[in-house]
Amino acid sequence: MNMRKKILFSAGALAVALAPAVGFALPEAAGAEVSPTAVCGSAPEHGVVRGETSNTEFIYDDADYLEAKQEARLTNIAKAVWQTSGHRIIYISTTDPAMEDDPEAWLDDYAKAHNISLDSVILVAGGVNYTTTDGQTSDAISDADWKQLLKKSKTAADTHTKRADSFFMTFADYLNKHPVERAGSPAAASQPAKPTPPPEEPETPAASNEPADSADLTQTELGDIIKFPDEGQVPYVGGQPDVKSAAPFIRDHSGVFSKSKIAGWEKQMTALADKYGIAPYIVTVDDFSDQTPQQWGANYYNANQLGLGEKDANGVIMVINPTSRDLWFMGHGDGEKAFTVYGIEKLYYHVKQPLGDDKWDDGLEVYLAQVADYLEQWKAGTPYSESHPLPHPMTLESTAAGAAGAAALGGGAGTLVMRRIRKKHDTAQLQAGATYYVVPGSDQITGSNDVFVNEYTTQVLRPKSSSSDSGYSGGSFSSGGTSFSSGGGKF
């Protein structure tokens, strides 16, 4: 039986947009009517359109709470969820005071008038805010998950626009992972019919220690880049329960990496996440939306619930902006321990070299190699830090420089030895003045001129600039109620 889940909260008549700390639930002491997982029996009888409908609208912003750019972005997210999972996410805003008296009846009438299927998850924003889900979408959300989703949706949603963003982000992520193949839905149409395997088929083991292949991972519909509010901090709500849910690890929004190589890299990163319990991410983006690179990175991490562990969200993220030439690294949870502030600085200088020449694939491969080394050091109990510095790798350049230095040192020592031998055997001495050679009473020297016949120039190498004046900055960074190790700069 399809059961409706609903929740209603009040924030003061028509003043909700200005009231701080409002969300999808309000304490009973505030007088809110709260039914977080209330079962109201079977679907209400209001003649509402249910199941499939030809209506492809997802946003009904009658109160004009959303800007055109945000409305288009949320529409794209809703379309992607509909195509991927078969679930609808609906947003309705209204200034109709009748909605405050009986939100459920108001919504049923509104849905009938606008041909909206209530087989969806719906947010109605107005003088009071009403969130409900019904039909098969309700069936896909457990009662316990419904409570958690509402809690996550609340976050810092202190305005109508932020509440809409938080609502769409939270439910899009969940519903994509709980698709329903109902007749006529895009999700069902895109899936070929699969015959039921014979019961005696023993091919698939119950469990495996092998990491998931990248082809088996859930590939998230990335859609628009900005998946969080343009201003402020996105609250931290935790990470993913397993490696498969944490994927994809490469989120190339700028499209700079070779597409033919991404599957192989994704497989390597999956293996690292599976082995060490710390998820490595790479994100490219062309616009930070007037935020600093580290604030954008923290918001992206929190909004997309990156990292392994629903509580700790263990991970490390590399953010590349090919347009502004920014390169930033952030570690979270155990990732903050494995990628210390010291370690991130060294990592930055390794990766920035190929990226500085626009060698994007090379930069990614350097990052992967370094991450594997960092994680192994952390697992051994000796993460790279001031007390356990990163070794200097031997390269062709360093070997040549060392050979030249040794040759210069040897040549200098040989010169000193020969000079001492010559001085010991050369007893002829020049006299201090020309008068020694003049016979008394002969011609006298009445004048003299100094003529410079040789000029010597000494060259001194200018020392290389230190990290303090190279544009790099780093340190511990807090955002959204959680902390990161952080560092980066230009490339």
Side-chain angles (χ1 to χ4, degrees), residues 8-53:
L8 166 72
F9 69 89
S10 173
L14 302 179
V16 67
L18 302 178
V22 295
F24 290 95
L26 200 68
E28 293 182 1
E33 176 192 341
V34 179
S35 46
T37 59
V39 176
C40 301
S42 59
E45 299 298 333
H46 287 282
V48 180
V49 178
R50 302 198 179 281
E52 299 313 309
T53 173

Side-chain angles (χ1 to χ4, degrees), residues 34-368:
V34 179
S35 46
T37 59
V39 176
C40 301
S42 59
E45 299 298 333
H46 287 282
V48 180
V49 178
R50 302 198 179 281
E52 299 313 309
T53 173
S54 59
N55 191 349
T56 58
E57 297 295 322
F58 302 95
I59 307 293
Y60 299 84
D61 187 24
D62 299 340
D64 293 327
Y65 289 149
L66 309 179
E67 294 182 354
K69 181 179 179 180
Q70 183 186 21
E71 182 173 339
R73 173 163 51 82
L74 296 182
T75 298
N76 287 338
I77 293 174
K79 286 180 179 178
V81 172
W82 170 236
Q83 293 291 334
T84 301
S85 70
H87 295 292
R88 288 185 179 86
I89 301 178
I90 306 293
Y91 175 84
I92 302 171
S93 71
T94 180
T95 56
D96 186 354
M99 195 273 285
E100 301 176 38
D101 299 330
D102 190 346
E104 185 173 341
W106 184 92
L107 176 59
D108 288 345
D109 292 339
Y110 188 92
K112 182 178 180 180
H114 292 80
N115 194 32
I116 299 174
S117 169
L118 288 186
D119 196 358
S120 315
V121 58
I122 301 175
L123 168 64
V124 184
V128 297
N129 291 271
Y130 179 62
T131 304
T132 184
T133 180
D134 199 6
Q136 295 190 61
T137 300
S138 176
D139 292 342
I141 306 175
S142 70
D143 289 350
D145 286 345
W146 178 250
K147 291 180 180 180
Q148 291 300 317
L149 290 169
L150 292 174
K151 181 179 179 181
K152 291 178 181 179
S153 298
K154 180 179 178 181
T155 61
D158 56 350
T159 65
H160 285 300
T161 55
K162 290 182 179 180
R163 184 176 301 109
D165 274 326
S166 182
F167 171 75
F168 271 77
M169 285 187 299
T170 300
F171 282 96
D173 180 65
Y174 184 90
L175 294 175
N176 274 338
K177 297 173 183 176
H178 298 81
V180 56
E181 296 184 7
R182 57 179 180 262
S185 72
S190 64
Q191 299 293 329
K194 299 179 181 179
T196 303
E200 65 274 14
E201 188 67 43
E203 294 296 328
T204 304
S208 173
N209 293 325
E210 293 296 322
D213 190 282
S214 59
D216 298 330
L217 299 176
T218 301
Q219 299 298 312
T220 303
E221 175 64 44
L222 298 177
D224 289 352
I225 295 299
I226 306 302
K227 298 183 68 178
F228 46 83
D230 292 346
E231 299 177 359
Q233 300 178 8
V234 174
Y236 172 72
V237 293
Q240 300 299 325
D242 51 51
V243 174
K244 188 172 183 179
S245 300
F249 300 108
I250 300 175
R251 299 167 179 238
D252 187 17
H253 300 296
S254 299
V256 297
F257 300 128
S258 298
K259 295 186 183 301
S260 60
K261 298 181 180 180
I262 288 180
W265 289 326
E266 188 79 18
K267 188 173 183 178
Q268 293 180 52
M269 299 173 82
T270 299
L272 290 174
D274 185 77
K275 181 177 180 180
Y276 297 102
I278 297 177
Y281 292 95
I282 298 173
V283 178
T284 65
V285 61
D286 292 319
D287 183 12
F288 286 140
S289 299
D290 298 325
Q291 295 180 342
T292 64
Q294 65 179 351
Q295 184 61 69
W296 190 95
N299 280 348
Y300 190 95
Y301 198 96
N302 290 342
N304 291 279
Q305 295 179 249
L306 302 186
L308 280 172
E310 294 177 284
K311 179 180 179 182
D312 299 322
N314 305 312
V316 60
I317 183 174
M318 175 173 72
V319 178
I320 302 172
N321 188 324
T323 302
S324 64
R325 313 294 289 184
D326 283 296
L327 172 63
W328 212 266
F329 300 87
M330 306 185 80
H332 188 272
D334 284 342
E336 190 175 4
K337 301 173 185 177
F339 296 83
T340 64
V341 172
Y342 165 89
I344 282 181
E345 180 179 4
K346 303 304 179 184
L347 182 60
Y348 164 77
Y349 284 110
H350 276 99
V351 177
K352 73 171 287 189
Q353 295 181 16
L355 294 186
D357 296 326
D358 290 347
K359 297 179 179 178
W360 311 110
D361 291 357
D362 291 350
L364 189 152
E365 290 180 350
V366 169
Y367 172 74
L368 276 180

